[in-house]
Amino acid sequence: MVLTTKFTNTVDPAQVAINWVATQPGIAAAIVGASNAGQLAKSTAALDFEIPAELRTLLDEASAVPGRRCTACSPRRTRTGSSART
């Protein structure tokens, strides 16, 4: 996705994916695999940042299932576990 270039220059795209999945409404955990300690550290660090609203909207739109309610309209968990509207 071309519009993510500015953000993904500092954050690995895999970390963005893990963060996005882990912060979706109704998701309790993101299951990841790691072959070494470095991969595990990167996966864990995926929850150390917040995805900018513009990028989150693009990701929500790109993954939307036709005919289903927009996920961007649902309450979204924050890092503290509380719900927040975006």
Side-chain angles (χ1 to χ4, degrees), residues 8-55:
T8 57
N9 281 340
T10 57
V11 178
D12 188 291
Q15 290 176 309
V16 174
I18 293 167
N19 184 300
W20 182 81
V21 167
T23 57
Q24 291 301 301
I27 300 298
I31 300 172
V32 298
S35 298
N36 58 54
Q39 289 177 345
L40 181 60
K42 277 188 173 184
S43 294
T44 303
L47 301 178
D48 291 343
F49 62 90
E50 291 188 31
I51 298 174
E54 181 183 6
L55 177 55

mmCIF file of all heavy atoms in Angstrom, residues 8-55:
data_model
loop_
_atom_site.group_PDB
_atom_site.id
_atom_site.type_symbol
_atom_site.label_atom_id
_atom_site.label_comp_id
_atom_site.label_asym_id
_atom_site.label_seq_id
_atom_site.Cartn_x
_atom_site.Cartn_y
_atom_site.Cartn_z
ATOM 1 N N THR A 8 5.655 3.236 7.512
ATOM 2 C CA THR A 8 6.390 1.980 7.503
ATOM 3 C C THR A 8 7.886 2.170 7.290
ATOM 4 O O THR A 8 8.622 1.206 7.335
ATOM 5 C CB THR A 8 5.822 0.990 6.459
ATOM 6 O OG1 THR A 8 5.855 1.591 5.182
ATOM 7 C CG2 THR A 8 4.427 0.555 6.837
ATOM 8 N N ASN A 9 8.342 3.398 7.093
ATOM 9 C CA ASN A 9 9.787 3.635 7.067
ATOM 10 C C ASN A 9 10.372 3.469 8.460
ATOM 11 O O ASN A 9 11.561 3.216 8.612
ATOM 12 C CB ASN A 9 10.109 5.029 6.523
ATOM 13 C CG ASN A 9 10.031 5.070 5.013
ATOM 14 O OD1 ASN A 9 10.108 4.058 4.345
ATOM 15 N ND2 ASN A 9 9.884 6.263 4.475
ATOM 16 N N THR A 10 9.572 3.640 9.498
ATOM 17 C CA THR A 10 10.052 3.511 10.867
ATOM 18 C C THR A 10 9.485 2.286 11.579
ATOM 19 O O THR A 10 10.020 1.875 12.597
ATOM 20 C CB THR A 10 9.705 4.769 11.691
ATOM 21 O OG1 THR A 10 8.298 4.976 11.651
ATOM 22 C CG2 THR A 10 10.406 5.993 11.141
ATOM 23 N N VAL A 11 8.419 1.712 11.058
ATOM 24 C CA VAL A 11 7.780 0.546 11.680
ATOM 25 C C VAL A 11 7.658 -0.553 10.631
ATOM 26 O O VAL A 11 7.227 -0.322 9.512
ATOM 27 C CB VAL A 11 6.376 0.917 12.228
ATOM 28 C CG1 VAL A 11 5.700 -0.289 12.822
ATOM 29 C CG2 VAL A 11 6.482 2.024 13.253
ATOM 30 N N ASP A 12 8.038 -1.751 11.002
ATOM 31 C CA ASP A 12 7.968 -2.902 10.105
ATOM 32 C C ASP A 12 6.509 -3.172 9.719
ATOM 33 O O ASP A 12 5.628 -3.163 10.590
ATOM 34 C CB ASP A 12 8.550 -4.112 10.836
ATOM 35 C CG ASP A 12 8.706 -5.309 9.948
ATOM 36 O OD1 ASP A 12 7.671 -5.879 9.545
ATOM 37 O OD2 ASP A 12 9.847 -5.683 9.664
ATOM 38 N N PRO A 13 6.224 -3.427 8.431
ATOM 39 C CA PRO A 13 4.841 -3.707 8.013
ATOM 40 C C PRO A 13 4.207 -4.882 8.779
ATOM 41 O O PRO A 13 3.011 -4.869 9.047
ATOM 42 C CB PRO A 13 4.971 -4.028 6.529
ATOM 43 C CG PRO A 13 6.194 -3.289 6.096
ATOM 44 C CD PRO A 13 7.130 -3.350 7.284
ATOM 45 N N ALA A 14 5.015 -5.866 9.155
ATOM 46 C CA ALA A 14 4.474 -6.986 9.931
ATOM 47 C C ALA A 14 4.002 -6.507 11.303
ATOM 48 O O ALA A 14 2.994 -6.988 11.823
ATOM 49 C CB ALA A 14 5.523 -8.083 10.083
ATOM 50 N N GLN A 15 4.719 -5.535 11.888
ATOM 51 C CA GLN A 15 4.300 -4.982 13.171
ATOM 52 C C GLN A 15 2.987 -4.217 13.030
ATOM 53 O O GLN A 15 2.134 -4.275 13.911
ATOM 54 C CB GLN A 15 5.381 -4.065 13.741
ATOM 55 C CG GLN A 15 6.617 -4.809 14.200
ATOM 56 C CD GLN A 15 7.691 -3.864 14.665
ATOM 57 O OE1 GLN A 15 8.055 -2.928 13.968
ATOM 58 N NE2 GLN A 15 8.204 -4.117 15.855
ATOM 59 N N VAL A 16 2.833 -3.519 11.909
ATOM 60 C CA VAL A 16 1.576 -2.811 11.655
ATOM 61 C C VAL A 16 0.435 -3.826 11.580
ATOM 62 O O VAL A 16 -0.626 -3.631 12.173
ATOM 63 C CB VAL A 16 1.648 -1.976 10.357
ATOM 64 C CG1 VAL A 16 0.288 -1.367 10.022
ATOM 65 C CG2 VAL A 16 2.711 -0.889 10.473
ATOM 66 N N ALA A 17 0.662 -4.926 10.870
ATOM 67 C CA ALA A 17 -0.372 -5.952 10.725
ATOM 68 C C ALA A 17 -0.755 -6.550 12.079
ATOM 69 O O ALA A 17 -1.936 -6.703 12.390
ATOM 70 C CB ALA A 17 0.109 -7.046 9.774
ATOM 71 N N ILE A 18 0.237 -6.882 12.885
ATOM 72 C CA ILE A 18 -0.036 -7.461 14.205
ATOM 73 C C ILE A 18 -0.796 -6.462 15.075
ATOM 74 O O ILE A 18 -1.785 -6.811 15.725
ATOM 75 C CB ILE A 18 1.269 -7.900 14.896
ATOM 76 C CG1 ILE A 18 1.896 -9.069 14.128
ATOM 77 C CG2 ILE A 18 1.025 -8.271 16.361
ATOM 78 C CD1 ILE A 18 3.328 -9.377 14.531
ATOM 79 N N ASN A 19 -0.357 -5.215 15.073
ATOM 80 C CA ASN A 19 -1.013 -4.175 15.856
ATOM 81 C C ASN A 19 -2.454 -3.998 15.410
ATOM 82 O O ASN A 19 -3.363 -3.939 16.236
ATOM 83 C CB ASN A 19 -0.240 -2.863 15.715
ATOM 84 C CG ASN A 19 -0.807 -1.748 16.572
ATOM 85 O OD1 ASN A 19 -1.957 -1.371 16.419
ATOM 86 N ND2 ASN A 19 0.020 -1.213 17.445
ATOM 87 N N TRP A 20 -2.666 -3.938 14.104
ATOM 88 C CA TRP A 20 -4.022 -3.736 13.574
ATOM 89 C C TRP A 20 -4.940 -4.882 13.988
ATOM 90 O O TRP A 20 -6.053 -4.659 14.461
ATOM 91 C CB TRP A 20 -3.976 -3.583 12.050
ATOM 92 C CG TRP A 20 -5.314 -3.337 11.459
ATOM 93 C CD1 TRP A 20 -5.995 -2.154 11.396
ATOM 94 C CD2 TRP A 20 -6.176 -4.315 10.859
ATOM 95 N NE1 TRP A 20 -7.219 -2.342 10.799
ATOM 96 C CE2 TRP A 20 -7.346 -3.660 10.457
ATOM 97 C CE3 TRP A 20 -6.053 -5.676 10.624
ATOM 98 C CZ2 TRP A 20 -8.397 -4.320 9.826
ATOM 99 C CZ3 TRP A 20 -7.095 -6.334 9.998
ATOM 100 C CH2 TRP A 20 -8.248 -5.645 9.616
ATOM 101 N N VAL A 21 -4.459 -6.113 13.836
ATOM 102 C CA VAL A 21 -5.273 -7.274 14.214
ATOM 103 C C VAL A 21 -5.561 -7.263 15.712
ATOM 104 O O VAL A 21 -6.696 -7.451 16.138
ATOM 105 C CB VAL A 21 -4.587 -8.597 13.805
ATOM 106 C CG1 VAL A 21 -5.256 -9.802 14.453
ATOM 107 C CG2 VAL A 21 -4.586 -8.753 12.292
ATOM 108 N N ALA A 22 -4.547 -7.026 16.514
ATOM 109 C CA ALA A 22 -4.689 -7.095 17.975
ATOM 110 C C ALA A 22 -5.629 -6.028 18.531
ATOM 111 O O ALA A 22 -6.191 -6.209 19.610
ATOM 112 C CB ALA A 22 -3.327 -6.972 18.638
ATOM 113 N N THR A 23 -5.824 -4.942 17.807
ATOM 114 C CA THR A 23 -6.672 -3.859 18.311
ATOM 115 C C THR A 23 -8.050 -3.820 17.654
ATOM 116 O O THR A 23 -8.800 -2.865 17.851
ATOM 117 C CB THR A 23 -5.969 -2.490 18.139
ATOM 118 O OG1 THR A 23 -5.634 -2.300 16.760
ATOM 119 C CG2 THR A 23 -4.723 -2.398 18.996
ATOM 120 N N GLN A 24 -8.399 -4.870 16.922
ATOM 121 C CA GLN A 24 -9.732 -4.952 16.336
ATOM 122 C C GLN A 24 -10.757 -5.286 17.408
ATOM 123 O O GLN A 24 -10.467 -6.043 18.339
ATOM 124 C CB GLN A 24 -9.781 -6.025 15.233
ATOM 125 C CG GLN A 24 -8.999 -5.671 13.990
ATOM 126 C CD GLN A 24 -9.499 -4.396 13.363
ATOM 127 O OE1 GLN A 24 -10.655 -4.279 12.985
ATOM 128 N NE2 GLN A 24 -8.620 -3.423 13.263
ATOM 129 N N PRO A 25 -11.959 -4.727 17.299
ATOM 130 C CA PRO A 25 -13.019 -5.049 18.263
ATOM 131 C C PRO A 25 -13.282 -6.557 18.295
ATOM 132 O O PRO A 25 -13.326 -7.211 17.247
ATOM 133 C CB PRO A 25 -14.241 -4.306 17.718
ATOM 134 C CG PRO A 25 -13.673 -3.220 16.864
ATOM 135 C CD PRO A 25 -12.408 -3.783 16.276
ATOM 136 N N GLY A 26 -13.394 -7.099 19.468
ATOM 137 C CA GLY A 26 -13.701 -8.515 19.620
ATOM 138 C C GLY A 26 -12.490 -9.436 19.586
ATOM 139 O O GLY A 26 -12.624 -10.631 19.801
ATOM 140 N N ILE A 27 -11.324 -8.915 19.344
ATOM 141 C CA ILE A 27 -10.116 -9.741 19.296
ATOM 142 C C ILE A 27 -9.456 -9.715 20.670
ATOM 143 O O ILE A 27 -9.115 -8.659 21.192
ATOM 144 C CB ILE A 27 -9.117 -9.238 18.215
ATOM 145 C CG1 ILE A 27 -9.752 -9.278 16.828
ATOM 146 C CG2 ILE A 27 -7.812 -10.026 18.268
ATOM 147 C CD1 ILE A 27 -10.144 -10.664 16.352
ATOM 148 N N ALA A 28 -9.272 -10.888 21.259
ATOM 149 C CA ALA A 28 -8.648 -10.983 22.577
ATOM 150 C C ALA A 28 -7.136 -11.132 22.475
ATOM 151 O O ALA A 28 -6.409 -10.723 23.375
ATOM 152 C CB ALA A 28 -9.229 -12.167 23.341
ATOM 153 N N ALA A 29 -6.643 -11.731 21.369
ATOM 154 C CA ALA A 29 -5.204 -11.940 21.210
ATOM 155 C C ALA A 29 -4.875 -12.131 19.742
ATOM 156 O O ALA A 29 -5.701 -12.622 18.975
ATOM 157 C CB ALA A 29 -4.764 -13.169 21.999
ATOM 158 N N ALA A 30 -3.683 -11.734 19.369
ATOM 159 C CA ALA A 30 -3.179 -11.998 18.024
ATOM 160 C C ALA A 30 -2.156 -13.123 18.154
ATOM 161 O O ALA A 30 -1.214 -13.022 18.938
ATOM 162 C CB ALA A 30 -2.523 -10.752 17.434
ATOM 163 N N ILE A 31 -2.355 -14.197 17.427
ATOM 164 C CA ILE A 31 -1.446 -15.336 17.503
ATOM 165 C C ILE A 31 -0.355 -15.139 16.464
ATOM 166 O O ILE A 31 -0.635 -14.983 15.276
ATOM 167 C CB ILE A 31 -2.195 -16.661 17.266
ATOM 168 C CG1 ILE A 31 -3.270 -16.828 18.338
ATOM 169 C CG2 ILE A 31 -1.221 -17.831 17.257
ATOM 170 C CD1 ILE A 31 -4.194 -17.998 18.105
ATOM 171 N N VAL A 32 0.891 -15.124 16.922
ATOM 172 C CA VAL A 32 2.030 -14.941 16.021
ATOM 173 C C VAL A 32 3.016 -16.079 16.227
ATOM 174 O O VAL A 32 3.022 -16.739 17.272
ATOM 175 C CB VAL A 32 2.735 -13.583 16.268
ATOM 176 C CG1 VAL A 32 1.789 -12.430 15.991
ATOM 177 C CG2 VAL A 32 3.283 -13.481 17.671
ATOM 178 N N GLY A 33 3.845 -16.298 15.236
ATOM 179 C CA GLY A 33 4.887 -17.306 15.335
ATOM 180 C C GLY A 33 6.241 -16.636 15.207
ATOM 181 O O GLY A 33 6.378 -15.616 14.546
ATOM 182 N N ALA A 34 7.232 -17.203 15.841
ATOM 183 C CA ALA A 34 8.583 -16.661 15.760
ATOM 184 C C ALA A 34 9.573 -17.815 15.680
ATOM 185 O O ALA A 34 9.420 -18.819 16.379
ATOM 186 C CB ALA A 34 8.881 -15.799 16.978
ATOM 187 N N SER A 35 10.565 -17.658 14.815
ATOM 188 C CA SER A 35 11.605 -18.679 14.662
ATOM 189 C C SER A 35 12.834 -18.364 15.498
ATOM 190 O O SER A 35 13.711 -19.208 15.656
ATOM 191 C CB SER A 35 12.016 -18.796 13.193
ATOM 192 O OG SER A 35 10.924 -19.191 12.411
ATOM 193 N N ASN A 36 12.921 -17.117 15.978
ATOM 194 C CA ASN A 36 14.076 -16.739 16.791
ATOM 195 C C ASN A 36 13.684 -15.591 17.721
ATOM 196 O O ASN A 36 12.592 -15.032 17.618
ATOM 197 C CB ASN A 36 15.264 -16.360 15.893
ATOM 198 C CG ASN A 36 14.933 -15.232 14.942
ATOM 199 O OD1 ASN A 36 14.479 -14.165 15.357
ATOM 200 N ND2 ASN A 36 15.168 -15.465 13.650
ATOM 201 N N ALA A 37 14.586 -15.250 18.617
ATOM 202 C CA ALA A 37 14.311 -14.220 19.622
ATOM 203 C C ALA A 37 14.073 -12.855 18.984
ATOM 204 O O ALA A 37 13.249 -12.074 19.469
ATOM 205 C CB ALA A 37 15.464 -14.137 20.618
ATOM 206 N N GLY A 38 14.750 -12.549 17.894
ATOM 207 C CA GLY A 38 14.565 -11.273 17.212
ATOM 208 C C GLY A 38 13.155 -11.115 16.667
ATOM 209 O O GLY A 38 12.549 -10.037 16.782
ATOM 210 N N GLN A 39 12.627 -12.183 16.082
ATOM 211 C CA GLN A 39 11.261 -12.141 15.565
ATOM 212 C C GLN A 39 10.257 -11.981 16.702
ATOM 213 O O GLN A 39 9.278 -11.248 16.577
ATOM 214 C CB GLN A 39 10.953 -13.402 14.763
ATOM 215 C CG GLN A 39 11.668 -13.461 13.439
ATOM 216 C CD GLN A 39 11.391 -14.767 12.708
ATOM 217 O OE1 GLN A 39 10.889 -15.737 13.285
ATOM 218 N NE2 GLN A 39 11.734 -14.795 11.429
ATOM 219 N N LEU A 40 10.500 -12.654 17.807
ATOM 220 C CA LEU A 40 9.610 -12.533 18.958
ATOM 221 C C LEU A 40 9.634 -11.108 19.501
ATOM 222 O O LEU A 40 8.585 -10.538 19.826
ATOM 223 C CB LEU A 40 10.005 -13.524 20.051
ATOM 224 C CG LEU A 40 9.134 -13.517 21.298
ATOM 225 C CD1 LEU A 40 7.683 -13.846 20.961
ATOM 226 C CD2 LEU A 40 9.681 -14.498 22.324
ATOM 227 N N ALA A 41 10.810 -10.508 19.564
ATOM 228 C CA ALA A 41 10.932 -9.127 20.047
ATOM 229 C C ALA A 41 10.183 -8.162 19.129
ATOM 230 O O ALA A 41 9.485 -7.256 19.603
ATOM 231 C CB ALA A 41 12.405 -8.729 20.146
ATOM 232 N N LYS A 42 10.291 -8.362 17.812
ATOM 233 C CA LYS A 42 9.570 -7.497 16.867
ATOM 234 C C LYS A 42 8.067 -7.668 17.014
ATOM 235 O O LYS A 42 7.314 -6.690 16.973
ATOM 236 C CB LYS A 42 9.980 -7.800 15.421
ATOM 237 C CG LYS A 42 11.232 -7.125 14.987
ATOM 238 C CD LYS A 42 11.437 -7.322 13.495
ATOM 239 C CE LYS A 42 12.609 -6.515 13.011
ATOM 240 N NZ LYS A 42 12.759 -6.622 11.543
ATOM 241 N N SER A 43 7.625 -8.898 17.197
ATOM 242 C CA SER A 43 6.187 -9.140 17.349
ATOM 243 C C SER A 43 5.663 -8.504 18.620
ATOM 244 O O SER A 43 4.590 -7.899 18.629
ATOM 245 C CB SER A 43 5.900 -10.649 17.369
ATOM 246 O OG SER A 43 6.199 -11.223 16.119
ATOM 247 N N THR A 44 6.411 -8.612 19.696
ATOM 248 C CA THR A 44 6.001 -8.013 20.967
ATOM 249 C C THR A 44 5.983 -6.490 20.865
ATOM 250 O O THR A 44 5.077 -5.836 21.389
ATOM 251 C CB THR A 44 6.949 -8.465 22.088
ATOM 252 O OG1 THR A 44 6.951 -9.890 22.130
ATOM 253 C CG2 THR A 44 6.518 -7.935 23.429
ATOM 254 N N ALA A 45 6.955 -5.918 20.152
ATOM 255 C CA ALA A 45 7.042 -4.458 19.987
ATOM 256 C C ALA A 45 5.898 -3.913 19.132
ATOM 257 O O ALA A 45 5.664 -2.707 19.113
ATOM 258 C CB ALA A 45 8.387 -4.077 19.379
ATOM 259 N N ALA A 46 5.181 -4.788 18.464
ATOM 260 C CA ALA A 46 4.070 -4.352 17.614
ATOM 261 C C ALA A 46 2.965 -3.672 18.412
ATOM 262 O O ALA A 46 2.148 -2.951 17.841
ATOM 263 C CB ALA A 46 3.492 -5.542 16.846
ATOM 264 N N LEU A 47 2.938 -3.861 19.708
ATOM 265 C CA LEU A 47 1.901 -3.241 20.536
ATOM 266 C C LEU A 47 2.403 -1.991 21.256
ATOM 267 O O LEU A 47 1.692 -1.424 22.074
ATOM 268 C CB LEU A 47 1.369 -4.262 21.541
ATOM 269 C CG LEU A 47 0.764 -5.508 20.901
ATOM 270 C CD1 LEU A 47 0.317 -6.488 21.970
ATOM 271 C CD2 LEU A 47 -0.386 -5.156 19.981
ATOM 272 N N ASP A 48 3.608 -1.557 20.901
ATOM 273 C CA ASP A 48 4.206 -0.392 21.555
ATOM 274 C C ASP A 48 3.909 0.931 20.855
ATOM 275 O O ASP A 48 4.476 1.954 21.216
ATOM 276 C CB ASP A 48 5.729 -0.560 21.655
ATOM 277 C CG ASP A 48 6.134 -1.647 22.630
ATOM 278 O OD1 ASP A 48 5.287 -2.041 23.464
ATOM 279 O OD2 ASP A 48 7.287 -2.095 22.556
ATOM 280 N N PHE A 49 3.063 0.926 19.844
ATOM 281 C CA PHE A 49 2.737 2.157 19.122
ATOM 282 C C PHE A 49 1.272 2.127 18.729
ATOM 283 O O PHE A 49 0.620 1.093 18.817
ATOM 284 C CB PHE A 49 3.613 2.317 17.867
ATOM 285 C CG PHE A 49 3.424 1.218 16.854
ATOM 286 C CD1 PHE A 49 2.470 1.331 15.854
ATOM 287 C CD2 PHE A 49 4.196 0.070 16.899
ATOM 288 C CE1 PHE A 49 2.280 0.320 14.926
ATOM 289 C CE2 PHE A 49 4.009 -0.952 15.975
ATOM 290 C CZ PHE A 49 3.058 -0.820 14.986
ATOM 291 N N GLU A 50 0.768 3.277 18.336
ATOM 292 C CA GLU A 50 -0.601 3.366 17.838
ATOM 293 C C GLU A 50 -0.561 3.665 16.345
ATOM 294 O O GLU A 50 0.233 4.497 15.893
ATOM 295 C CB GLU A 50 -1.372 4.449 18.584
ATOM 296 C CG GLU A 50 -1.632 4.058 20.030
ATOM 297 C CD GLU A 50 -2.559 5.009 20.749
ATOM 298 O OE1 GLU A 50 -3.445 5.594 20.090
ATOM 299 O OE2 GLU A 50 -2.398 5.152 21.958
ATOM 300 N N ILE A 51 -1.406 2.991 15.600
ATOM 301 C CA ILE A 51 -1.496 3.227 14.157
ATOM 302 C C ILE A 51 -2.202 4.557 13.942
ATOM 303 O O ILE A 51 -3.273 4.788 14.513
ATOM 304 C CB ILE A 51 -2.266 2.081 13.468
ATOM 305 C CG1 ILE A 51 -1.510 0.755 13.655
ATOM 306 C CG2 ILE A 51 -2.484 2.388 11.995
ATOM 307 C CD1 ILE A 51 -2.249 -0.458 13.154
ATOM 308 N N PRO A 52 -1.622 5.444 13.119
ATOM 309 C CA PRO A 52 -2.281 6.724 12.836
ATOM 310 C C PRO A 52 -3.683 6.507 12.263
ATOM 311 O O PRO A 52 -3.925 5.541 11.531
ATOM 312 C CB PRO A 52 -1.363 7.382 11.806
ATOM 313 C CG PRO A 52 -0.037 6.710 11.983
ATOM 314 C CD PRO A 52 -0.351 5.306 12.418
ATOM 315 N N ALA A 53 -4.596 7.392 12.596
ATOM 316 C CA ALA A 53 -6.002 7.258 12.192
ATOM 317 C C ALA A 53 -6.155 7.097 10.684
ATOM 318 O O ALA A 53 -6.955 6.273 10.227
ATOM 319 C CB ALA A 53 -6.799 8.464 12.685
ATOM 320 N N GLU A 54 -5.398 7.859 9.895
ATOM 321 C CA GLU A 54 -5.509 7.770 8.437
ATOM 322 C C GLU A 54 -5.123 6.374 7.934
ATOM 323 O O GLU A 54 -5.812 5.789 7.108
ATOM 324 C CB GLU A 54 -4.616 8.821 7.775
ATOM 325 C CG GLU A 54 -4.691 8.796 6.256
ATOM 326 C CD GLU A 54 -3.755 9.799 5.596
ATOM 327 O OE1 GLU A 54 -2.957 10.452 6.302
ATOM 328 O OE2 GLU A 54 -3.828 9.922 4.375
ATOM 329 N N LEU A 55 -4.044 5.825 8.474
ATOM 330 C CA LEU A 55 -3.618 4.488 8.065
ATOM 331 C C LEU A 55 -4.611 3.440 8.548
ATOM 332 O O LEU A 55 -4.949 2.510 7.827
ATOM 333 C CB LEU A 55 -2.219 4.187 8.596
ATOM 334 C CG LEU A 55 -1.673 2.788 8.313
ATOM 335 C CD1 LEU A 55 -1.701 2.459 6.822
ATOM 336 C CD2 LEU A 55 -0.263 2.662 8.868
#
